[in-house]
Amino acid sequence: MLAARAGRYTATMKRTALLSVYDKTGIVEFAEELVKLDWEILASGGTARALTEAGVPVRDVAELVGGGSILGHRVVTLSREVHAGLLAKPNEADRAELKKLGIPFIDLACVDLYPLAAEIAKPGSTPESVIEQTDIGGPTMLRSAAKGQRIVIARPPTRAKVLEWLKAGEPEPEKFRRELAATAEATVANYILSSARYQGGGTYEGMVGRRRSEAKYGENGWQTPAALYDTAAAAEPDPLALSAFKLVEGGDPSYNNWADVDRLLQTLTHIAAGFATNFGEVPAIAVGVKHGNACGAAVAATPAEAVQKMVTGDQRAIFGGLIMTNFAITEEVADELLTYGVESGRRLLDGIMAPEFVPAAIEKLGRKGGKCRLLANPTLAKLGTDSLDSKPRIRYVRGGFMQQPNYGYVIDLKSPELVTTVKLSDQQTRDLVLAWAAGSTSNSNTVTLIRDGQLIGNGVGQQDRVGCCELAIKRATDAGHKTAGAVAYSDSFFPFPDGPEVLAKAGITAIFATSGSVKDGEIQEVCRQHGVTLVQLPDSVARGFFGH
């Protein structure tokens, strides 16, 4: 038997585990391991039946509370006997009182909850069905166990961790129990938030986050501490969540690095969805960003060509930037990233995200002091129409936060609402899709120039749309590109003809912009006069503002 720890146990005291789970998967095996460690098992209803059928010695909670469940199983563990066993302090007085009342001191609680969020999301769910799947006993037991500093297990994956800890002699018991208690409280908070959100019909909103990575620093060096959190207790973890990226080389990413990774994901997934929707295939894609905006983006038949086009889109801007691809980084691709288009030395990059990195590429791409972070996520190799982030976007504002649906629009050039003056060539069509994806995920106002599958100029964040055009052209010419023959994307309609005139004079052959301006007729006429193909969808459908 285990020796005493912090006055909690005696050498002859058997310990009791309370098991009450909705999903019985793995619970028999867990209980069997506890029995091997000389624990007594107390379980409720269906859990007790499952253990009994498997031959595990168990005492039903109904025996402890003096009767079975009542009110259609709505009340069974909500009893003073259960919560006294969880809340009693490990001192002689409380233990003596429990003994007098015939109540065991419960040392461990393994509880999972009714699938409330799944029921709310289920097509055809009703207020009655949601109420039926709203757990009260489970959250209450978890909170009592957390307050009582018991060994509390709120998530099935934690069971193996607890068994390992028990078999190791329970090192650092107070620290371990506090971690478990925090997880239980966060699980309950997230669960109750789902209920409040549903019952209030949108009146209440929020999120519960779990710290997954310490950021090296915030947006500025003095903004510390900073960290990356993921949404706790997500029913279906997102394989493209930032916390799913594995750091294979380099130091901890900064706040800005993580922000850029998020924006890279927006752009890369929109390119993939746009090509899958319009052409039925996803090419090799490489995107580079600086301060969240694409300064290089390319599609090609091979990874090497995609990288070459991406890094030479704007070599001045890509310096110190971050890059994301939908293909593995081989030694050949690493060489292209570092030296293609560089007269001497190597290109300095702060981070690269890809499905995987071969060892030789990791060695080549590393920078002194871990300044180039390499993050791997194999899901990047499988992008398509279902890869867009569908979760709402939340933004802190002073005194609260705002929320809106995510940007999940995908351009469809076969849409019946699309209006065009001249049929586009195949290359123009592909370039317009790339222009839309890069421009609509850059800070508005934006005008984006693409030629032959390469981003050559991105005029982002301007207060007037003609200024976007002028900036895009300047960035393209500064980078050594010819704008003649390129296509342009505008993230909203042109309020005046001056923007299209600037683009036409630069040799732009096709423009995608939304309709909705009172001067749409004049803009269409200007494009006709200059021989520019104008492609339009309604602003209410296709506007691509981002990053306000």
Side-chain angles (χ1 to χ4, degrees):
M1 194 64 59
L2 292 167
R5 282 188 174 83
R8 256 179 216 276
Y9 312 109
T10 70
T12 59
M13 196 174 293
K14 261 200 170 187
R15 293 198 277 180
T16 299
L18 171 61
L19 311 184
S20 179
V21 298
Y22 179 87
D23 183 353
K24 309 301 186 291
T25 305
I27 196 62
V28 169
E29 293 78 5
F30 179 64
E32 289 173 336
E33 289 297 315
L34 288 176
V35 170
K36 290 177 184 177
L37 294 171
D38 208 25
W39 284 67
E40 292 183 338
I41 308 297
L42 182 67
S44 65
T47 306
R49 285 193 298 274
L51 297 179
T52 299
E53 290 169 4
V56 178
V58 58
R59 182 185 181 191
D60 197 311
V61 167
E63 297 177 24
L64 175 65
V65 303
S69 63
I70 61 174
L71 301 178
H73 202 74
R74 293 195 299 279
V75 179
V76 57
T77 58
L78 292 166
S79 67
R80 78 171 191 165
E81 290 85 0
V82 169
H83 292 279
L86 290 169
L87 290 167
K89 294 180 179 179
N91 56 40
E92 293 303 321
D94 280 10
R95 286 187 180 277
E97 186 173 357
L98 289 182
K99 184 176 181 180
K100 181 180 178 180
L101 295 169
I103 299 172
F105 185 98
I106 301 172
D107 303 273
L108 180 152
C110 177
V111 180
D112 68 16
L113 309 176
Y114 294 174
L116 175 61
E119 182 62 32
I120 291 171
K122 186 187 298 181
S125 66
T126 64
E128 291 75 18
S129 69
V130 170
I131 288 172
E132 195 64 26
Q133 291 298 327
T134 301
D135 202 336
I136 301 300
T140 309
M141 284 188 288
L142 287 174
R143 295 218 67 208
S144 288
K147 179 175 180 177
Q149 289 294 286
R150 302 306 200 257
I151 303 166
V152 54
I153 302 171
R155 299 173 182 173
T158 308
R159 297 172 194 169
K161 181 180 178 182
V162 166
L163 288 173
E164 182 181 344
W165 176 75
L166 290 172
K167 293 174 183 178
E170 304 178 27
E172 300 184 275
E174 300 304 323
K175 178 176 181 291
F176 188 74
R177 288 167 184 268
R178 285 178 67 85
E179 289 173 355
L180 294 177
T183 299
E185 294 280 49
T187 301
V188 173
N190 195 61
Y191 192 85
I192 293 173
L193 179 59
S194 294
S195 183
R197 190 183 289 124
Y198 176 81
Q199 298 289 355
T203 301
Y204 296 97
E205 190 49 85
M207 66 173 65
V208 178
R210 173 179 51 181
R211 188 174 62 211
R212 296 301 299 267
S213 174
E214 297 280 357
K216 188 174 181 180
Y217 48 80
E219 287 182 309
N220 299 290
W222 48 266
Q223 288 177 279
T224 56
L228 169 69
Y229 292 78
D230 68 8
T231 48
E236 295 182 9
D238 181 357
L240 287 171
L242 269 59
S243 58
F245 283 73
K246 180 182 178 183
L247 184 67
V248 298
E249 169 62 23
D252 289 337
S254 69
Y255 181 98
N256 289 351
N257 292 154
W258 284 124
D260 280 341
V261 173
D262 185 58
R263 291 291 290 274
L264 277 162
L265 274 172
Q266 283 281 78
T267 303
L268 191 73
T269 55
H270 277 83
I271 294 172
F275 274 77
T277 297
N278 290 278
F279 313 114
E281 51 87 21
V282 177
I285 308 170
V287 181
V289 301
K290 199 69 171 290
H291 301 291
N293 295 299
C295 59
V299 294
T302 67
E305 184 186 358
V307 166
Q308 291 169 3
K309 288 183 174 181
M310 183 271 297
V311 295
T312 55
D314 191 334
Q315 294 205 67
R316 185 173 65 192
I318 199 63
F319 180 88
L322 276 77
I323 288 166
M324 184 176 286
T325 72
N326 68 339
F327 47 80
I329 305 299
T330 62
E331 187 173 8
E332 176 195 4
V333 171
D335 286 333
E336 302 289 1
L337 285 168
L338 292 173
T339 62
Y340 187 81
V342 178
E343 292 183 5
S344 62
R346 55 181 270 167
R347 181 175 287 107
L348 291 181
L349 300 170
D350 278 3
I352 302 165
M353 281 57 67
E356 63 174 316
F357 297 81
V358 303
I362 295 173
E363 186 177 349
K364 286 192 172 186
L365 293 168
R367 283 177 58 190
K368 186 177 180 181
K371 292 182 179 179
C372 184
R373 291 88 174 173
L374 305 185
L375 294 161
N377 187 326
T379 305
L380 291 174
K382 310 168 192 173
L383 302 182
T385 54
D386 60 349
S387 300
L388 299 182
D389 186 2
S390 61
K391 299 296 188 296
R393 285 265 152 176
I394 295 176
R395 174 174 177 168
Y396 169 78
V397 294
R398 189 163 182 167
F401 58 88
M402 300 188 297
Q403 176 180 293
Q404 66 175 350
N406 214 319
Y407 181 65
Y409 174 75
V410 177
I411 188 173
D412 184 355
L413 296 178
K414 301 181 185 66
S415 169
E417 296 179 284
L418 187 139
V419 175
T420 183
T421 52
V422 179
K423 181 176 174 59
L424 297 166
S425 69
D426 289 343
Q427 188 60 56
Q428 284 178 320
T429 302
R430 296 177 72 86
D431 285 352
L432 278 181
V433 170
L434 178 57
W436 155 79
S440 66
T441 54
S442 297
N443 286 45
S444 63
N445 289 333
T446 297
V447 168
T448 304
L449 305 183
I450 301 287
R451 192 182 64 209
D452 296 331
Q454 179 185 35
L455 172 64
I456 61 172
N458 207 15
V460 306
Q462 301 304 293
Q463 288 84 359
D464 63 280
R465 201 151 292 277
V466 71
C468 299
C469 299
E470 292 169 343
L471 179 58
I473 293 166
K474 181 180 186 303
R475 295 213 69 92
T477 53
D478 283 356
H481 299 294
K482 296 184 184 299
T483 56
V487 306
Y489 163 79
S490 172
D491 61 6
S492 187
F493 56 73
F494 287 99
F496 303 102
D498 50 2
E501 284 179 346
V502 168
L503 294 173
K505 289 177 182 177
I508 303 304
T509 59
I511 299 172
F512 173 78
T514 60
S515 57
S517 169
V518 295
K519 296 186 180 290
D520 273 349
E522 294 180 36
I523 290 158
Q524 292 163 2
E525 178 59 23
V526 164
C527 289
R528 188 191 64 79
Q529 290 176 359
H530 287 279
V532 175
T533 301
L534 179 63
V535 180
Q536 291 181 300
L537 281 164
D539 197 65
S540 59
V541 173
R543 186 167 71 176
F545 280 4
F546 191 89
H548 273 75

